[in-house]
Amino acid sequence: RTCVIQICVEGKVTFVDALEFEGDELAPLSDICEDEGFIKYLHSASNDIREMHRDFGTVFNNIFDTQIAMQFLNYEKHGLAYLLEKFEGLTISKKYQRYNWRTRPIIKAAMAYAADDVLYLESCSAKLIEELENADWYKAFNEQCELICDQTRYIEKPFDPETWRKVKASKKLSDDQARATFKALYIWRHKRCVELDLAPLHVLQNELLGKIAFRRPETKTALKKIRGMDRVRKDNYSGILNAVRFSEGERESKRKPKDGDRPDAGYFERFEKLRLWRNEKTEVLQIPPALVATNSLLQALATALPNDESIFERHPDFLNWKEDAFRSEILKLLV
């Protein structure tokens, strides 16, 4: 749930308590976000765009995403803290990164932290524009920002219990029983998040999920001894222990069993050629691989080519600058 919206206009920061609004009640702000006549400066814009679309139906046009600019410019880091340190000489504390923004009233230190998220974006953007123009990336950058506006929408997806395998903490577990316990805890946590309407990090953080799966405590006393449990709500303890008991005797392999039809051998050969080509381009252009070509685009090209060149026009990730720079190379690679 969107909890707080920070807006900076001419150096003055205003906070909107988003918990007080529902649906189209934020229409005046949504109108400005959609208006192509106003530039909206954001950092990692897709996160904000997706969440505001989910809660208020907001659609964005004409954005300047400072994180995308940093990626095109091959900055050492792409976080907002690094940007503010580089251009404004500010050191931003990470203390409030996991602050619960449902808290009311919001403490002054957290408000100051949130204000810094937007206060300097316009001034930083002016410096980034100069660098983008000098590096001849400004046109490509603008196309990427337009793509984010066009494509970023909130689409509710059904919960997939198998996504536990993507959690970093699960990869540290070395036996099938512990992985089964991790999965049971992961499913319990999702249900609890829905029940409380809270993000996972405010219910049971991933690292702690891994510790519990490894130790498999049977009692509340044993559970409390696990480091970090003192930050977990006491009314979650029974649910955690039930999940551990539920997984008793279950086993989960390290890799998910493969199912469904597999592409032909030629597809894998084409995909590997494209992947290696992308890696080479990444090195030459000094930009992240996803800006050269997303995995989605590589998969689509490997599937369609060499027979169907309309894929270049049909796939939204193949922007105009990529058409000019890459189309002939890709065709020579695969035709």
Side-chain angles (χ1 to χ4, degrees), residues 39-320:
I39 301 175
K40 276 69 66 174
Y41 301 94
L42 302 99
H43 187 85
S44 188
S46 58
N47 295 330
D48 298 325
I49 292 174
R50 186 176 293 109
E51 292 175 11
M52 287 188 65
H53 180 259
R54 176 195 62 208
D55 295 339
F56 308 110
T58 306
V59 172
F60 278 75
N61 283 309
N62 195 4
I63 66 167
F64 189 108
D65 189 331
T66 51
Q67 185 180 69
I68 298 298
M70 295 169 77
Q71 291 175 348
F72 270 109
L73 293 169
N74 193 31
Y75 278 22
E76 178 184 353
K77 300 176 183 177
H78 304 142
L80 180 59
Y82 181 79
L83 181 68
L84 297 182
E85 181 180 0
K86 180 178 177 65
F87 284 148
E88 304 294 336
L90 297 175
T91 302
I92 305 299
S93 170
K94 296 182 179 181
K95 182 177 179 180
Y96 296 100
Q97 275 188 331
R98 295 187 172 184
Y99 183 77
N100 184 356
W101 294 100
R102 286 177 174 274
T103 304
R104 296 293 183 275
I106 300 173
I107 62 174
K108 288 184 178 181
M111 293 278 278
Y113 170 86
D116 285 341
D117 273 0
V118 295
L119 185 56
Y120 304 98
L121 286 180
E122 186 172 2
S123 61
C124 288
S125 297
K127 299 168 186 175
L128 289 169
I129 289 173
E130 183 178 352
E131 292 189 19
L132 287 165
E133 289 177 336
N134 290 338
D136 202 24
W137 277 127
Y138 194 45
K139 178 177 178 289
F141 162 76
N142 279 322
E143 288 185 12
Q144 192 69 33
C145 287
E146 288 177 16
L147 180 68
I148 292 170
C149 289
D150 291 342
Q151 284 198 316
T152 307
R153 300 289 185 272
Y154 176 74
I155 301 173
E156 188 169 357
K157 297 179 181 179
F159 174 67
D160 181 1
E162 287 301 317
T163 51
W164 68 270
R165 298 177 185 276
K166 298 180 181 180
V167 181
K168 185 178 179 181
S170 74
K171 302 181 188 303
K172 299 178 181 179
L173 301 173
S174 58
D175 65 89
D176 294 353
Q177 171 69 85
R179 282 189 284 270
T181 303
F182 190 97
K183 178 179 179 179
L185 288 164
Y186 183 77
I187 293 171
W188 166 83
R189 183 180 68 175
H190 169 72
K191 293 177 179 177
R192 188 63 169 151
C193 287
V194 172
E195 180 184 343
L196 298 173
D197 194 20
L198 288 174
L201 67 91
H202 294 306
V203 175
L204 194 65
Q205 293 183 13
N206 290 337
E207 186 179 352
L208 196 49
L209 210 66
K211 290 179 181 178
I212 297 170
F214 177 75
R215 296 194 184 184
R216 305 193 71 253
E218 297 181 358
T219 66
K220 288 186 179 181
T221 300
L223 182 63
K224 289 178 182 179
K225 290 181 180 178
I226 298 177
R227 187 174 181 181
M229 280 304 300
D230 58 319
R231 298 192 299 272
V232 177
R233 290 170 49 151
K234 299 293 188 296
D235 58 355
N236 285 331
Y237 284 15
S238 294
I240 292 170
L241 292 173
N242 286 337
V244 173
R245 282 192 287 271
F246 176 79
S247 67
E248 184 65 40
E250 299 291 324
R251 297 289 185 271
E252 285 289 344
S253 61
K254 193 168 186 178
R255 297 183 183 277
K256 180 183 178 182
K258 293 181 179 179
D259 52 18
D261 296 330
R262 290 172 59 82
D264 62 87
Y267 165 85
F268 291 106
E269 182 179 343
R270 293 189 295 273
F271 182 85
E272 185 61 15
K273 283 183 179 180
L274 288 165
R275 188 186 67 81
L276 293 174
W277 166 83
R278 180 180 66 180
N279 291 348
E280 291 174 2
K281 283 296 171 187
T282 297
E283 289 295 321
V284 172
L285 299 175
Q286 292 293 291
I287 59 177
L291 291 182
V292 176
T294 61
N295 284 337
S296 170
L297 177 56
L298 295 187
Q299 291 164 359
L301 291 170
T303 301
L305 295 176
N307 302 316
D308 183 7
E309 292 187 25
S310 69
I311 185 62
F312 292 113
E313 286 71 40
R314 289 188 287 109
H315 202 286
D317 285 357
F318 203 74
L319 301 172
N320 291 334

Side-chain angles (χ1 to χ4, degrees), residues 15-34:
F15 289 82
V16 177
D17 186 350
L19 296 179
E20 295 294 321
F21 297 87
E22 291 184 3
D24 61 2
E25 291 179 338
L26 270 184
L29 177 58
S30 294
D31 290 344
I32 293 173
C33 293
E34 191 170 1

